[in-house]
Amino acid sequence: MEFTQVVELEGHIIDSLTLPKVYDEILDRGGNYTTEEISMGKRREDQSYARIKISAPTNDILNNILDRITKLGVVLIHKGGTKK
């Protein structure tokens, strides 16, 4: 069984290294991720967007990951983790 949560991240997530920091937090805390959608701005003033599905073996691990990455600007799409 795994617990999942879909999140979004937008802004200057590539040049600020926010996206790699989010990926690192997920993996460092025992989770995994799938990038469901990503669009990158072409010019410096353009913003980028990513939708990421996070999975973890327990709800506690998932919540720990979510606590960490929301501090980086991640927004939850579906409230609460779902079991698979």
Side-chain angles (χ1 to χ4, degrees), residues 54-72:
I54 302 167
S55 60
T58 70
N59 200 42
D60 286 342
I61 291 173
L62 180 62
N63 286 331
N64 182 283
I65 292 168
L66 296 174
D67 286 345
R68 299 290 296 200
I69 64 175
T70 53
K71 293 174 183 165
L72 295 171

Side-chain angles (χ1 to χ4, degrees), residues 32-44:
N32 207 342
Y33 66 87
T34 302
T35 303
E36 294 186 333
E37 181 181 341
I38 190 164
S39 62
M40 292 182 260
K42 293 182 180 181
R43 292 169 287 180
R44 214 172 243 190

Side-chain angles (χ1 to χ4, degrees), residues 7-75:
V7 298
E8 290 180 322
L9 186 61
E10 58 186 317
H12 296 283
I13 62 175
I14 307 296
D15 53 349
S16 67
L17 301 179
T18 303
L19 184 59
K21 288 176 188 173
V22 168
Y23 289 154
D24 286 345
E25 287 287 347
I26 294 167
L27 296 175
D28 289 349
R29 298 194 181 320
N32 207 342
Y33 66 87
T34 302
T35 303
E36 294 186 333
E37 181 181 341
I38 190 164
S39 62
M40 292 182 260
K42 293 182 180 181
R43 292 169 287 180
R44 214 172 243 190
E45 62 272 8
D46 295 341
Q47 294 193 7
S48 299
Y49 169 84
R51 183 173 64 236
I52 306 162
K53 182 178 181 180
I54 302 167
S55 60
T58 70
N59 200 42
D60 286 342
I61 291 173
L62 180 62
N63 286 331
N64 182 283
I65 292 168
L66 296 174
D67 286 345
R68 299 290 296 200
I69 64 175
T70 53
K71 293 174 183 165
L72 295 171
V74 168
V75 177

